[in-house]
Each structure stands twice: as structure tokens, then as C-alpha cells.
Amino acid sequence: MAYEMIMKPMTFKITWKDGLVITPWERPIGPTHGPSDPSLPSGSPVKDALDLAQDVPHSPLDQFAIKSFLDMRVGYLYISFTNPTFFMLLTLGLVFLLFHLVTKKGGGKSVPNAWQSLVELIYDFVPNLVNEQIGGHVKQKFFPCISVTFTFSLFCNLQGMIPYSFIVTSHFLITLGLSFSIFIGITLVGFQRNGLHFLSFSLPAGVPLPLAPFLVLLELIPHSFRALSSGIRLFANMMAGHSSVKILSGSAWTMLCMNDLFYFIGDLGPLCLVLALTGLELGVAISQAHVSTISICIYLNDATNLHQTFFIVIFL
Amino acid sequence: MLEGAKSMGAGAATIASAGAAVGIGNVFSSLIHSVARNPSLAKQLFGYAILGFALTEAIALFALMMVFLILFVF
């Protein structure tokens, strides 16, 4: 089966073993569900809970499945309209709607209401980061790019907290694509601004010359690791957090139904744990957007200023 | 047997969060020390501490991601 899927990639339909025919974008998730364990007594809440759980996905990683809404192919490329596409557009739409509703009719009032304060908070967050991290005189040129990156990752993370929604940043394809692109951009900016002197970044001051080539080559490894680490940090946080909440909430549902007298007055412990974990997830969503933006600012500082510090001013 | 091996691998991979626990304790211990030295900077130092916490927690979540990978993908 796997052999056929690899060796015949252009097959539009795939036939699975019990005659189920799917397109390559779909994948049957786990074994087909039957009734629960027949040794359970037939009136018990445990059996009922397990029977009710038949139509939820079998694995906690199935919430990250990419389904396509509209299949489109151009030769060998699949440019389908998928789950992440829809939710990224939804995020963009929500951000634009929020910013528009706050700033219409001439740009808001001078005594802000709550929505305007929120938008001002999100907007003002990035210049503080940029001013603090990037020394020198060229900092404000990078503000739009960093602001968009921060707002995008913040709203994508927060939107994933809505139940039954899809977390765009929980796929490393998306976060690695973002961080690799930004890292390539930072390297290009470094070469454009400093010429070949950019390579002196990897050589600390006062190193004897015979050691220099070895040190430069060795420095390339942590330098290129930065691109990977930014993307993977965001991806791992979102994926692991949501998988944990999924696993714990499955256990919480089972425990809630464990009472023989009434439903939903079972054990409340795992449910409180799910509540606490969701609160932590909200904090992690905001803080991971902050961390990825601040690390981009640090890399930009290293690329444009090459270990020099003109002045150190702390804003925050 | 594969299920047993997966569970064992997942259990072994969770040990990595011990290092992350030590790291997070270190960050907040430094926060307490530095606020005790200079309480007027408490707000800014707390911001730095939350940044350090997020970065250290990321390593724990790398380990958790490997656990889920071992349990549910392989």
C-alpha cells in the first residue's frame, strides 16, 4: 500500500484494502471503529462513554490533519485550497477587520475605548522591541516586516485556541517556511549593508590568524541553526501544547462519565487540569509570538551591526 | 510488542523535561535575587524573566514533541 502511494504519485484515486476509495489528500485515520469492548456491562456509563467516543478521531494528532476543500492541480503541483489556507485567510480577515473597525472615521478617538487600547498595545509592542534590540541608525526600516510577522504569529496562535479550530502554526512547514524566509532575508540584508565584511561577524576580535578559517567554518553551524530553531520553537510549542490538551480532555471526558448515578457529576479533577492547561496555552501562544519576534530582532541586530554596540538604551 | 516499545520510548523521552525544570527554576531564582537587589526594576526584570521562561520551556516542549512523535507516528 505504501509502495503504491510512493511509486504512483499521480494516481488520482487510491483504493484501500476494504474498497474505500480516497484521493491522495485524504488518509483514513486509524482502524475503523466498532462497538466498544463487549465485556463491559451494557448499561454502564463507561461503555456508553466509549461508545460515544467512536466518532471522534482515534489519535490526538488527528486535529492537525490537513484536509483540502478544493482540489486544484497544475501539472505536478498541488495548489489546493486547504485547511491552513482557509484559516490563514481567516486570521488575516480578522486582523484587518479589527484594525479597520478601530481606526475608521478618522483614526480613533483621543480617549481610547477598550478595542482601541488593544490595537494600540499590539501596534506599540513592536517599535519597543525594534528600538531596544537593534542599535544604530537603521532600525526603523525593519519595523513593518517585524510588525507583520509578530501580528501574524500572534493572531494565528490565538485563533488556534478556539475549540474545533485549526492551528496554522502547528505545522512545521508553515513556521519553518516563515523563519527560513526571514533568515534568508536577514542574511541578504547583512551582505547588502556590510559587503563581504559580513563574514567578519563570525570572527571574534583578537583571534590568531591560523585559527581563523577553522573558526569561521565552525561558526556557520550555529548561525544556520538559528533559522531552524526559530521555526521549530514555535511549531513544537503549539503542537505539543495542543496535543497535551487533547489527551487530557479525552481523559477528562471519560472521568466525567464515570459516575453510575448521573452523568457529568463524575470526577472533576482532570477537567480542572484541562482548564489550567488551556490558560497556560493562551499564555504560551502570546509569549511564543513575542519570543519569535524578539529573536528575529536579535538576528537582525547581529547581521547589521556585527557585534558593535553604539549605545545601549533600555526601553521596554 | 511495537506498542510496548512505543510506550517505553515515550517514557524515556519524557526524562528530558528534568533539565528544563532545572532551567526554569534557575531563571526564576535569578529573578528573585535581582529583584531583591534592586526592587525598582521589578517590572522590567519580570519581563525578562518571562522571556527566559518561554525560551527554556521551548526545550521541554521539544522533548514533549519527540514523545508524541514516538507514540503516535512511528
Side-chain angles (χ1 to χ4, degrees):
Chain A
M1 183 41 57
Y3 175 77
E4 281 168 1
M5 283 183 79
I6 293 171
M7 297 307 282
K8 289 193 276 187
M10 294 302 118
T11 312
F12 202 73
K13 298 269 182 216
I14 297 175
T15 307
W16 282 76
K17 47 182 186 266
D18 29 20
L20 175 68
V21 176
I22 56 166
T23 62
W25 299 277
E26 295 166 309
R27 182 175 66 89
I29 299 167
T32 54
H33 301 289
S36 54
D37 191 1
S39 71
L40 290 169
S42 63
S44 77
V46 176
K47 182 175 168 65
D48 289 348
L50 290 175
D51 280 336
L52 274 175
Q54 272 183 51
D55 30 328
V56 283
H58 195 64
S59 148
L61 293 185
D62 288 331
Q63 57 182 317
F64 306 122
I66 297 182
K67 309 179 183 62
S68 72
F69 298 152
L70 208 69
D71 303 333
M72 294 183 286
R73 270 177 59 188
V74 176
Y76 287 92
L77 292 174
Y78 293 90
I79 50 172
S80 327
F81 187 79
T82 61
N83 246 347
T85 318
F86 173 69
F87 278 97
M88 273 195 268
L89 286 176
L90 187 70
T91 305
L92 270 183
L94 285 177
V95 171
F96 284 160
L97 190 70
L98 178 68
F99 276 54
H100 172 71
L101 284 179
V102 163
T103 58
K104 67 180 178 183
K105 284 195 273 194
K109 320 171 188 45
S110 24
V111 177
N113 54 0
W115 290 109
Q116 186 172 341
S117 297
L118 175 71
V119 170
E120 283 180 5
L121 191 71
I122 296 173
Y123 183 81
D124 272 337
F125 190 74
V126 184
N128 288 338
L129 277 184
V130 173
N131 287 335
E132 180 195 356
Q133 297 300 131
I134 309 178
H137 55 281
V138 292
K139 47 200 168 185
Q140 288 308 322
K141 284 190 187 177
F142 302 113
F143 165 69
C145 174
I146 296 178
S147 172
V148 165
T149 311
F150 171 69
T151 312
F152 175 71
S153 44
L154 177 72
F155 277 90
C156 276
N157 289 350
L158 283 178
Q159 191 200 48
M161 297 307 302
I162 303 172
Y164 292 107
S165 164
F166 182 82
I167 311 111
V168 165
T169 42
S170 74
H171 286 274
F172 61 82
L173 200 66
I174 294 172
T175 55
L176 277 179
L178 190 65
S179 81
F180 269 36
S181 321
I182 292 182
F183 186 73
I184 291 175
I186 289 176
T187 313
L188 285 175
V189 161
F191 274 117
Q192 181 216 16
R193 202 164 288 286
N194 298 316
L196 280 180
H197 210 54
F198 180 58
L199 294 172
S200 77
F201 160 68
S202 14
L203 205 64
V207 165
L209 201 54
L211 203 52
F214 177 68
L215 214 59
V216 166
L217 284 177
L218 206 60
E219 173 70 23
L220 278 180
I221 300 174
H223 189 65
S224 29
F225 181 71
R226 290 172 156 185
L228 200 67
S229 84
S230 300
I232 290 199
R233 184 187 308 126
L234 186 56
F235 150 69
N237 271 289
M238 290 297 115
M239 200 271 277
H242 281 263
S243 310
S244 315
V245 172
K246 188 76 156 192
I247 291 174
L248 269 177
S249 53
S251 144
W253 175 254
T254 312
M255 294 298 281
L256 274 182
C257 298
M258 272 286 192
N259 197 317
D260 276 333
L261 289 178
F262 306 103
Y263 281 174
F264 306 131
I265 316 182
D267 191 355
L268 281 177
L271 190 67
C272 297
L273 202 57
V274 170
L275 200 70
L277 200 62
T278 309
L280 181 68
E281 273 306 300
L282 277 169
V284 165
I286 300 176
S287 112
Q288 286 304 317
H290 168 52
V291 159
S292 78
T293 312
I294 214 174
S295 64
I296 291 171
C297 289
I298 293 175
Y299 303 156
L300 249 181
N301 183 30
D302 282 341
T304 56
N305 289 334
L306 296 178
H307 293 308
Q308 304 153 359
T309 53
F310 293 109
F311 54 90
I312 302 177
V313 184
I314 314 264
F315 277 111
L316 251 187
Chain B
M1 182 161 148
L2 185 61
E3 297 299 319
K6 278 189 196 181
S7 304
M8 284 171 58
T14 317
I15 300 176
S17 32
V22 170
I24 293 175
N26 217 351
V27 164
F28 283 103
S29 139
S30 305
L31 171 69
I32 294 176
H33 277 288
S34 49
V35 168
R37 270 177 189 269
N38 194 352
S40 64
L41 287 180
K43 198 165 175 328
Q44 182 185 346
L45 289 171
F46 186 69
Y48 286 159
I50 292 298
L51 180 67
F53 163 75
L55 283 170
T56 313
E57 179 94 2
I59 310 296
L61 287 174
F62 286 1
L64 197 64
M65 173 188 74
M66 288 310 299
V67 169
F68 289 144
L69 223 59
I70 291 173
L71 263 186
F72 297 115
V73 173
F74 294 123

